[in-house]
Amino acid sequence: MTYQWDNKKPTAQMLGRWQPFHDGHYTLFKEIIKKTGQVCIQIRDVQGVDDNPFDFETVKKNIEERLSPEFEGQFKIMLVPNITNICYGRGVGYKIEEIVLDEEIQKISATKIRAQMREEGKLK
């Protein structure tokens, strides 16, 4: 049976460029999903800004392919503006947490992956 998303249930948020979605992102997702059982993945609208070549649909497709079917129904993906600051007022029930992964995963770099993709002719 597929997980049934519930907007009223506590939900974790992941905000990023995901350019491209890689093993580090996947490992991070697996840690975050443990917190609430469902995750809202927000993709910053950064195509063409600095070294961010992928459009929303490409990024979304890459994430869906990596997370499905294992996490089917447990995530939603949405496009958001190029959010660079996260601010909140008085304590209103949010937790802002850094998830520290093992050193090997922390070393994974989307910038290096894009450079390699360019060398291999997979990205212009």
Side-chain angles (χ1 to χ4, degrees):
M1 185 169 135
T2 303
Y3 180 87
Q4 292 296 313
W5 183 273
D6 181 352
N7 277 341
K8 304 291 184 197
K9 185 176 185 236
T11 303
Q13 173 190 11
M14 290 177 70
L15 170 66
R17 295 171 295 165
W18 322 116
Q19 297 263 339
F21 196 77
H22 55 64
D23 289 344
H25 297 139
Y26 175 74
T27 303
L28 181 62
F29 175 87
K30 288 193 332 183
E31 288 302 311
I32 292 171
I33 196 81
K34 294 174 187 176
K35 299 199 173 281
T36 60
Q38 61 184 35
V39 177
C40 178
I41 301 171
Q42 297 179 323
I43 300 171
R44 292 171 49 201
D45 190 3
V46 293
Q47 180 188 19
V49 176
D50 299 323
D51 185 24
N52 297 293
F54 302 109
D55 65 11
F56 169 71
E57 291 302 324
T58 300
V59 175
K60 181 180 177 186
K61 178 178 164 274
N62 289 339
I63 294 170
E64 288 172 338
E65 286 177 355
R66 186 66 190 271
L67 299 181
S68 297
E70 182 179 5
F71 297 103
E72 193 72 40
Q74 290 182 269
F75 63 92
K76 289 199 180 243
I77 299 173
M78 66 177 58
L79 180 66
V80 297
N82 185 14
I83 295 169
T84 58
N85 296 60
I86 297 175
C87 310
Y88 70 96
R90 59 186 168 76
V92 291
Y94 303 125
K95 293 180 188 175
I96 298 177
E97 304 177 60
E98 178 181 3
I99 307 296
V100 179
L101 303 171
D102 68 57
E103 187 176 340
E104 199 63 31
I105 295 296
Q106 292 285 116
K107 287 182 185 178
I108 298 172
S109 164
T111 301
K112 291 177 183 175
I113 292 170
R114 288 190 302 272
Q116 182 177 350
M117 291 173 76
R118 284 187 180 94
E119 287 176 17
E120 296 170 352
K122 296 178 182 174
L123 186 63
K124 294 178 184 181

